[in-house]
Amino acid sequence: MRITFIGGGNMARALIAGLLAQNTPPGELHVVDPDEDKRASLARDFGVATGAGASPAALAADLLILAVKPQQLPDVAKSLQGRLASPLVVSIAAGIRAGDLSRWLGGYPRIVRVMPNTPAMIGAGISGLFALPAVSAQDKARAAATLAAVGSTVWVDDESELDALTAVSGSGPAYVFYFIEALEAAATGLGLDAATSRRLALETFLGAAKLAAASAEDAAGLRAKVTSKGGTTERALQVMEQAGIKQAIIAAVGAAAERAKALGDELGQAG
Ligand SMILES: NC(=O)c1ccc[n+]([C@@H]2O[C@H](COP(=O)([O-])OP(=O)(O)OC[C@H]3O[C@@H](n4cnc5c(N)ncnc54)[C@H](OP(=O)(O)O)[C@@H]3O)[C@@H](O)[C@H]2O)c1
């Protein structure tokens, strides 16, 4: 399957690395990016074909991945109008709705919109995918298999669910970093040195996440198991409950989802 990336930045690099690790031949990959240095490093690091513009050879792909910044996408899409044979178009641009992209591409119907997250950079991402109605089951399978190169995938049937997904898993790594930051600050506040504090916070987070993933029990059940009556964990959780931490997190993620919807409206109008 020939895959062309329009935009050879961070996400394209992560996807290319993942695809090559899954034994995609480098000869099947083509990257279009105006930046000469980026093209040179992509060719050197991965052995993929590169070009400064969307040439007919670049567009003769089975899968076209739009990996430019959201603000760049309207112009990029309009420049492709009438030039696409019949590739499956996959857009990873945050916030750009599939219908708006289809319109900028002159009514092009074979579009899958993806919302990845930053752990994709190390192959540990989770991507939400939404397909326009004209996308076949085979095309959906191709899109999911491609994104699976950088982590897991989940389909949504209603595009508005991507706003919720953006608020949860798209912005989610930042919430996790925030919690790690707080745990680290608490550790140094209790007199531990910086390196030990960082290690304790990180390993605790990694270990607990792995335990939760490996367990059939839900998070509340796992938490109950490590919370002995009158113990240290119970005391800490009481303080968190009194401070309304859970409600604050729910409200924060809700606000992020509202912002995702508003950004989608703005980006759609901008094009
Ligand atoms: N990074 C993430 O974790 C993440 C998560 C979710 C979604 N996304 C989405 O993924 C997309 C790519 O993100 P990124 O972090 O990879 O951005 P990036 O590093 O800025 O990559 C975009 C690349 O596209 C190039 N470009 C600009 N105009 C172009 C054109 N006309 N034709 C071809 N290439 C062009 C840019 O060049 P210049 O730098 O010269 O403009 C840049 O090299 C964004 O839409 C973002 O919303 C990223």
Side-chain angles (χ1 to χ4, degrees), residues 6-12 32-35 38 52 66-70 72 76 92-95 114-121:
I6 307 284
N10 297 313
M11 277 309 277
V32 173
D33 196 293
D35 187 314
K38 266 184 208 151
L66 302 178
V68 295
K69 291 202 181 78
Q72 296 164 332
V76 167
I92 62 167
V114 178
M115 181 62 206
N117 67 357
T118 46
M121 303 295 173

Side-chain angles (χ1 to χ4, degrees), residues 68-96:
V68 295
K69 291 202 181 78
Q71 295 76 4
Q72 296 164 332
L73 194 52
D75 286 345
V76 167
K78 286 175 194 166
S79 75
L80 297 175
Q81 244 189 55
R83 299 187 57 215
L84 301 182
S86 60
L88 170 65
V89 172
V90 171
S91 163
I92 62 167
I96 302 279

Side-chain angles (χ1 to χ4, degrees), residues 17-64:
L19 288 166
L20 295 180
Q22 287 188 342
N23 297 323
T24 300
E28 289 189 4
L29 305 180
H30 193 123
V31 186
V32 173
D33 196 293
D35 187 314
E36 196 178 340
D37 292 340
K38 266 184 208 151
R39 291 200 305 276
S41 82
L42 286 162
R44 186 186 59 237
D45 297 346
F46 301 120
V48 298
T50 63
S55 63
L59 295 182
D62 305 299
L63 190 63
L64 192 65

